[in-house]
């Protein structure tokens, strides 16, 4: 197969993104442009993403961003082999903006449309950055999702565990809000935690030791709130210690849950080639270090995308599009926008013990 080049469009949440990724005859990728415009400033005042504001902001900048990506890659629309777009899951207004734009481009250029699952794009990013071979264990952790998944191939995912309440990123965001820190909360909590004492507050480790690889984080959030209210008003030191305690609890729970998923992995998919982290939470240094140590214990490599590719971006959408294009998995112009779109429908049986 000769070189293929795909445009990737991402508008499912609060980043508008457009990227150009090529893969050579051997499938070796090159990110030729990766334009991301964050709407953080527009949502910051509300402490979270406001769907209508997000959709409008995507409309305003997407065309320009696509032009800029093409310009940076030094190509025109006619040089593309496909138009990939995140068709969900996400906020419906934003998804529609990206999908209608991609369909229009596919129609006028007569190139194939690749309607990509946003979660699949996060899941496959480790193959773009590090060429990780199937199968691998994936911790997918973002603002909306927390799942441990056996990635067996493109479109072939087995869910080994997930959160029964808050996503990890969501828990970080809520902790930050509670402590008067900015949005998004993950980076703020991580920054404050650096100077804090993780042992001062004995915060709980929900689900630790359970034999299913599931997460539950709402109890931890409640414990954090109770401690914060007990010692209010909070000094900077208090906030740092609460952040450090919260992050340490999340790290312990995450490693324990990933360890359980590693045990369940072989029944679902054989021996993994690596432990992979993806999604915005994979930017967290403490979580990365702890997962790298766990992978080391299991004799596996650990792969987490470089920071700009952890959060939402267009390169991961273009890459997932390339992976699908290579397998002939193209879509037509009837592809729906899907606010909900689970990556893995099948729940794996958990072995006894
Ligand atoms: O994948 P992403 O960019 O967007 C989606 O939710 O799809 O993930 C954003 C989430 C937010 O909840 C944010 O607080 C969290 O990832 N996050 C972090 C860090 N950086 C971003 N959580 C913990 N530590 C971080 N350094
Ligand atoms: Zn995401």
């Amino acid at each position: 197969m000769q070189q293929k080049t795909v445009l990737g469009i991402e508008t499912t949440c609060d980043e508008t993104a457009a990227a150009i990724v090529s893969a050579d005859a051997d499938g070796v990728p090159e990110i030729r442009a990766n334009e991301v415009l964050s709407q953080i400033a527009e949502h910051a005042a509300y402490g979270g993403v406001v769907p209508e504001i997000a959709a409008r902001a995507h409309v305003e900048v997407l065309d320009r961003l696509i032009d800029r990506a093409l310009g940076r890659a030094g190509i025109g629309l006619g040089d593309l082999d496909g138009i990939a777009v995140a068709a969900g899951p996400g906020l419906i207004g934003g998804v529609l903006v990206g999908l209608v734009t991609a369909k229009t481009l596919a129609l006028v250029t007569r190139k194939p449309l690749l309607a990509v699952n946003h979660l699949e794009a996060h899941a496959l990013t480790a193959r773009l950055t590090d060429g990780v071979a199937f199968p691998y264990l994936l911790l997918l952790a973002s603002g909306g999702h927390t799942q441990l998944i056996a990635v067996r191939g493109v479109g072939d995912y087995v869910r080994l565990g997930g959160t029964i309440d808050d996503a990890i990123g969501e828990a970080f965001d809520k902790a930050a809000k509670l402590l008067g820190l900015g949005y998004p909360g993950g980076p703020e909590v991580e920054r404050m935690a650096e100077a804090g004492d993780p042992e001062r507050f004995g915060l709980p480790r929900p689900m630790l030791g359970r034999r299913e690889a599931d997460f539950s984080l709402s109890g931890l959030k409640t414990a954090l709130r109770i401690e914060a209210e007990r010692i209010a008003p909070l000094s900077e030191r208090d906030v740092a210690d609460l952040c450090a305690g919260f992050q340490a609890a999340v790290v312990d729970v995450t490693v324990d849950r990933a360890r359980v998923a590693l045990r369940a992995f072989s029944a679902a998919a054989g021996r993994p080639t690596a432990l992979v982290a993806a999604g915005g939470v994979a930017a967290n240094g403490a979580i990365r270090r702890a997962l790298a140590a766990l992978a080391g214990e299991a004799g596996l490599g650990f792969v987490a995308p470089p920071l700009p590719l952890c959060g939402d971006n267009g390169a991961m959408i273009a890459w997932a599009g390339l992976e699908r294009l290579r397998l002939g998995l193209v879509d037509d112009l009837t592809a729906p926008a899907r606010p909900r779109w689970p990556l893995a429908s099948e729940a794996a049986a958990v072995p006894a013990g």
Side-chain angles (χ1 to χ4, degrees):
M1 200 160 111
Q2 65 305 30
Q3 195 200 53
K4 298 273 184 206
T5 301
V6 165
L7 165 69
I9 297 172
E10 161 60 42
T11 55
T12 63
C13 191
D14 60 347
E15 329 273 351
T16 319
I20 309 287
V21 178
S22 295
D24 68 14
D26 298 320
V28 177
E30 184 196 351
I31 300 175
R32 299 173 62 179
N34 192 20
E35 301 292 319
V36 184
L37 253 182
S38 169
Q39 306 173 0
I40 284 173
E42 274 130 290
H43 301 287
Y46 306 94
V49 179
V50 183
E52 284 71 20
I53 294 179
R56 199 164 319 145
H58 291 306
V59 172
E60 279 165 11
V61 298
L62 183 57
D63 287 0
R64 249 183 301 142
L65 221 56
I66 292 170
D67 265 349
R68 218 200 281 167
L70 288 165
R72 192 145 294 177
I75 61 171
L77 282 173
D79 299 312
L80 295 171
D81 297 292
I83 318 281
V85 59
L91 301 171
I92 186 69
V95 172
L96 280 169
V97 172
L99 189 59
V100 168
T101 304
K103 284 181 178 176
T104 308
L105 291 175
L107 187 68
V108 298
T109 60
R110 296 167 189 272
K111 307 289 180 184
L113 175 75
L114 300 144
V116 167
N117 181 318
H118 176 93
L119 303 175
E120 176 166 51
H122 276 304
L124 298 175
T125 302
R127 291 169 54 75
L128 164 66
T129 57
D130 294 80
V132 177
F134 298 122
Y136 51 88
L137 176 62
L138 170 76
L139 169 69
L140 174 57
S142 67
H145 302 273
T146 294
Q147 293 174 19
L148 283 154
I149 295 170
V151 180
R152 300 195 293 198
V154 175
D156 184 6
Y157 308 94
V158 180
R159 187 177 186 276
L160 301 171
T163 182
I164 59 172
D165 41 54
D166 292 351
I168 300 181
E170 184 183 2
F172 269 96
D173 293 336
K174 287 177 176 170
K177 198 169 183 179
L178 182 86
L179 299 173
L181 302 171
Y183 172 85
E188 298 279 320
V189 171
E190 182 176 14
R191 189 174 52 78
M192 289 304 289
E194 270 164 35
D197 170 7
E199 319 248 296
R200 177 170 157 206
F201 302 96
L203 295 175
R205 267 73 174 151
M207 309 295 268
L208 210 73
R210 291 281 191 98
R211 76 187 183 90
E212 296 83 15
D214 289 327
F215 293 76
S216 167
L217 295 163
S218 70
L220 172 60
K221 180 187 62 190
T222 305
L224 182 78
R225 197 190 61 236
I226 291 169
E227 289 299 324
E229 283 169 2
R230 187 173 62 78
I231 59 165
L234 302 177
S235 68
E236 185 145 337
R237 165 114 308 252
D238 295 333
V239 172
D241 292 345
L242 285 165
C243 285
F246 172 83
Q247 183 173 272
V250 172
V251 166
D252 286 354
V253 168
T254 303
V255 168
D256 181 69
R257 309 290 72 211
R259 185 179 285 120
V260 170
L262 270 177
R263 247 182 264 141
F265 189 96
S266 56
R271 179 160 171 80
T273 61
L275 171 59
V276 171
V281 175
N284 186 285
I287 292 176
R288 286 168 94 107
R289 284 189 293 278
L291 288 175
L294 172 68
E297 267 172 41
L300 299 174
F302 173 68
V303 175
L307 295 193
L309 297 178
C310 282
D312 293 346
N313 64 88
M316 70 178 191
I317 306 299
W319 172 249
L322 272 166
E323 293 245 48
R324 298 184 71 80
L325 183 63
R326 210 178 305 146
L327 297 171
L329 299 170
V330 300
D331 297 274
D332 64 30
L333 297 182
T334 64
R338 303 178 66 169
R340 276 173 224 285
W341 189 355
L343 185 54
S345 41
E346 193 186 336
V350 176

